[in-house]
């Protein structure tokens, strides 16, 4: 269903959901998007820093997106993931999926998110207002979530 | 053989460099880790808990027991936290 | 979590996802959107006509959205559903949910869609290029989907 | 009592009107349907298969066995197909 176009992008710049979705999923009946946003749970966070593996990340995202497209019969899909320093409230990443029916679009977006959480080479570090920097621990629940599929 | 070894996140911080070239005859990733950990305290600290270390061989996620035959680039990092 | 603002709208006009999401879900970590689009499966469809129950629809949508917001702890939510005559490729409706964590945002969007499919007072009719008009049958699978929750 | 009865989708088409005022002493929705179905062939056709009929009392989805006490508006329609 999907052509071998690069539909995943890694960038430090922000992105705009509307721009990403221009012309997205033509002919599909269902479009699902997920956007992750920097959240300050402690009330003491200044920013989030995201490190990644430059040589590997974009290709891994494209490979995996194409596998998901084939598995769920997607008409179209996009992944945009940022790296670098992001302020609270800024969007971190987005996934968009388009399919004939909503179940496939929902499941594919959910699946890609599970994969991104624990298999895409990104590492988050929380920068506190007091200058402290703390790597975010991987959650066991993310691993469990991936085993659902 | 010569292998590029890359480190990310807190492994990079503990070892103090993002990248080094290593001359090795290690057959598996675990063998390579043993050699690296013996280098100095910083490497030893980075590889102290292998349950918290993941690796990629030539930019493909791999197991620590994987063989190094023909591999040019090995990356070590903690469990990923994307999304 | 949600104030008693009307967050659901029924309208014949089109809508724009970006406009609907302006300022949406501030402080939340996860935003999920679903957009339903008119699809022509037979290749013979000219348009989709959507009838609704004017006095009831918007209030029912708001009541149900508020229940979902409370059940899933949503920071924000929106439902926009169109009625009237829509051409193939036009968006029919959208749901957006914002929550601290992605599981709640995904589940709430999925749940609202299940509810909209079989409990919101809309009736679809396919208008063929040959002028025929055919009411869309409810799917037993939609009823099954709702019983999951 | 006087009740506004509304019809949607193919019930509206079969009966030929979107709305009518009905004088009735029916106690439940089913009783009201029996009265309506007895009116003429159009009403009878619309209510021929009650498995395909849903209702709302004063704009709240209800069961066909629900009581009509104090209800001002009854709507009949096929299973909904929103979303």
């Amino acid at each position: 269903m999907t052509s071998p176009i690069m539909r995943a992008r890694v960038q430090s710049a922000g992105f705009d959901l509307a721009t990403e979705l221009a012309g997205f999923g033509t002919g599909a009946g269902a479009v699902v998007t997920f956007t992750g946003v920097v959240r300050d749970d402690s009330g003491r966070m200044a920013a989030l820093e995201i490190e990644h593996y430059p040589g590997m990340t974009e290709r891994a995202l494209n490979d995996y997106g194409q596998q998901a497209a084939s598995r769920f019969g997607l008409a179209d899909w996009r992944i945009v993931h940022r790296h670098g320093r992001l302020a609270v409230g800024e969007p971190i990443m987005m996934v968009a999926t388009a399919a004939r029916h909503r179940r496939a679009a929902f499941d594919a977006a959910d699946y890609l998110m599970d994969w991104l959480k624990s298999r895409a080479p990104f590492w988050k570090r929380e920068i506190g207002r007091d200058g402290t920097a703390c790597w975010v621990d991987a959650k066991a629940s993310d691993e469990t979530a991936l085993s659902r599929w | 053989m010569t292998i590029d070894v890359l480190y990310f996140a807190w492994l990079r911080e503990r070892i103090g460099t993002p990248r080094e070239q290593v001359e090795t005859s290690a057959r598996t990733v675990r063998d390579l880790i043993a050699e690296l950990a013996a280098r100095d305290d910083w490497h030893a600290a980075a590889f102290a808990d292998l349950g918290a270390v993941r690796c990629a061989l030539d930019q493909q996620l791999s197991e620590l027991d994987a063989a190094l035959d023909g591999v040019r680039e090995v990356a070590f990092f903690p469990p990923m936290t994307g999304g």
Side-chain angles (χ1 to χ4, degrees), chain A residues 62-85:
Chain A
N62 274 291
D63 288 352
Y64 216 80
Q66 281 177 35
Q67 285 174 39
S70 153
R71 172 171 175 168
F72 294 97
L74 299 183
D76 208 348
W77 62 277
R78 291 284 186 286
I79 299 173
V80 180
H81 202 303
R82 297 174 69 188
H83 63 88
R85 190 180 179 102

Side-chain angles (χ1 to χ4, degrees), chain A residues 32-47:
Chain A
V32 169
T33 72
F34 176 87
T35 308
V37 179
V38 181
R39 198 182 63 231
D40 178 12
D41 278 347
S42 65
R44 284 169 299 173
M45 205 166 102

Side-chain angles (χ1 to χ4, degrees), chain A residues 20-35:
Chain A
E20 300 300 330
L21 293 183
F24 180 76
T26 305
V31 174
V32 169
T33 72
F34 176 87
T35 308

Side-chain angles (χ1 to χ4, degrees), chain A residues 82-141:
Chain A
R82 297 174 69 188
H83 63 88
R85 190 180 179 102
L86 310 183
V88 172
E90 281 195 75
I92 303 169
M93 49 75 59
M94 60 153 282
V95 159
T97 56
R100 286 167 65 83
H101 299 289
R102 80 189 159 106
R103 190 74 269 136
F106 264 113
D107 285 351
D110 209 2
Y111 175 72
L112 282 171
M113 285 307 304
D114 279 344
W115 179 81
L116 279 165
K117 286 272 172 192
S118 54
R119 291 292 184 275
F122 293 100
W123 299 275
K124 293 194 186 110
R125 184 159 59 165
E126 292 182 3
I127 311 299
R129 287 196 202 136
D130 55 3
T132 54
C134 184
W135 292 100
V136 174
D137 276 329
K139 293 197 201 88
S141 58

Side-chain angles (χ1 to χ4, degrees), chain B residues 18-73:
Chain B
R19 175 177 214 120
E20 57 188 335
Q21 263 201 349
V22 173
E23 252 322 293
T24 181
S25 55
R27 294 178 53 195
T28 68
V29 181
R30 273 190 207 280
D31 293 344
L32 176 62
I33 289 175
E35 285 181 16
L36 292 167
R39 289 196 160 193
D40 56 41
D41 288 352
W42 316 118
H43 284 80
F47 291 112
D49 174 14
L50 291 191
V53 174
R54 302 286 179 271
C55 75
L57 304 186
D58 288 334
Q59 307 184 357
Q60 299 283 345
L61 293 180
S62 301
E63 301 296 320
L64 298 185
D65 293 316
L68 287 177
D69 306 322
V71 167
R72 310 281 296 268
E73 181 175 301

